[in-house]
Amino acid sequence: KNEVEQSPQNLTAQEGEFITINCSYSVGISALHWLQQHPGGGIVSLFMLSSGKKKHGRLIATINIQEKHSSLHITASHPRDSAVYICAVRGQGAQKLVFGQGTRLTINP
Amino acid sequence: NAGVTQTPKFQVLKTGQSMTLQCAQDMNHNSMYWYRQDPGMGLRLIYYSASEGTTDKGEVPNGYNVSRLNKREFSLRLESAAPSQTSVYFCASSEWVPTQPQHFGDGTRLSIL
C-alpha cells in the first residue's frame, strides 16, 4: 500500500461543476502539499498545509490530521483547470516528500 | 526571477552513453532534489541535497550520480544510460523547513534508445 493514495485517478466533469479530489496518507506528517501539473508543463505548488483549510481563488484545500485525509476542491470549474493534481506529504522530521500518483482532471466546455 | 532552471529540455541518448542534467536555482535555497516521473507512477526521488556539500540517496538512486556544485547548482549524471532510465526528470529546490514548498523546474524529457 502506497503511503499516499489519491482518488479518483481520473476525473472528467463539465464546466461549472464542483470538483473534489481526495488524498489519504498513512504516516504522521509535518505538511501536506497540493501541486498542479499541466499537460507537457512543469509542476506548480498550489497549497501547503498542516492543519485546517486554505483558499486561493476558486481552489480550496482542507486537511483532517486525525483522519490522515486531505481534499482539494475546485469551485465553478473551467477547462483551464484541466491538469494533473498531485498530493505530497512530508513526514515528521523528514526532508523528503512522498508523492501520490496524481489525479488527472479534465473539464469539458 | 527565473526560479529553477533545468537544461536540456529534451535529450535522446543511445544505450551506454553518458550525460549530465543541469539544474540551477536563484532563490538562495539550501535544499535541492532530483525526481523522475514515469507514466502511472508518482514522482520518485532519485537524490537530494539538504544543504551545500551534502548529498543523499532517495528512493531510486541506482544508475545515477549527483554533484552539488555550489549552493545554486545540482547536477544529475547518468554514467551509462539504460532504456529503463527513459523518463521525465524534474529538479526542485526548497528551504530546509517543513512548511516551505518545493519549487520545480520545467523538466527534462529523456529518451534512451
Side-chain angles (χ1 to χ4, degrees):
Chain A
K1 188 179 189 300
N2 294 331
E3 287 185 36
V4 181
E5 295 276 357
Q6 288 185 236
S7 63
Q9 290 188 357
N10 293 283
L11 178 57
T12 299
Q14 292 299 120
E15 183 173 356
E17 288 189 35
F18 181 82
I19 303 298
T20 296
I21 299 170
N22 297 299
C23 175
S24 297
Y25 54 92
S26 57
V27 298
I29 66 168
S30 59
L32 182 142
H33 300 246
W34 281 103
L35 307 160
Q36 180 191 56
Q37 184 176 26
H38 281 284
I43 299 168
V44 176
S45 179
L46 295 175
F47 294 104
M48 186 180 53
L49 61 167
S50 55
S51 65
K53 175 180 171 178
K54 286 191 175 181
K55 184 175 189 290
H56 184 239
R58 294 179 295 105
L59 274 60
I60 304 165
T62 64
I63 188 168
N64 184 318
I65 296 294
Q66 287 73 30
E67 295 186 3
K68 294 186 168 59
H69 181 268
S70 176
S71 293
L72 177 68
H73 305 287
I74 305 175
T75 63
S77 60
H78 190 277
R80 65 175 174 265
D81 297 325
S82 297
V84 175
Y85 292 84
I86 303 168
C87 172
V89 301
R90 188 193 293 257
Q92 289 171 344
Q95 172 66 348
K96 298 175 284 187
L97 290 178
V98 178
F99 294 83
Q101 292 188 344
T103 294
R104 185 174 300 277
L105 174 65
T106 303
I107 304 296
N108 293 319
Chain B
N1 188 344
V4 179
T5 303
Q6 290 183 235
T7 56
K9 294 193 185 306
F10 302 93
Q11 185 71 47
V12 179
L13 293 177
K14 294 181 180 178
T15 297
Q17 287 185 316
S18 62
M19 84 161 292
T20 299
L21 307 185
Q22 306 287 353
C23 176
Q25 51 92 10
D26 62 3
M27 294 170 283
N28 203 36
H29 285 163
N30 288 309
S31 302
M32 298 185 74
Y33 313 81
W34 276 106
Y35 297 96
R36 60 178 289 173
Q37 185 179 42
D38 300 296
M41 305 186 75
L43 286 156
R44 292 184 292 169
L45 182 65
I46 304 170
Y47 271 94
Y48 69 103
S49 171
S51 60
E52 186 179 356
T54 69
T55 61
D56 286 285
K57 294 179 180 179
E59 191 181 346
V60 288
N62 291 345
Y64 305 95
N65 286 301
V66 290
S67 295
R68 183 75 182 266
L69 304 170
N70 47 55
K71 191 171 185 180
R72 288 187 66 247
E73 298 172 287
F74 188 38
S75 62
L76 178 72
R77 183 161 177 84
L78 286 71
E79 291 291 351
S80 179
S84 62
Q85 294 176 306
T86 294
S87 189
V88 181
Y89 291 85
F90 287 94
C91 177
S93 71
S94 73
E95 283 299 338
W96 173 264
V97 176
T99 56
Q100 294 301 311
Q102 290 191 8
H103 297 260
F104 288 81
D106 289 338
T108 295
R109 190 173 297 274
L110 181 62
S111 294
I112 316 285
L113 304 178

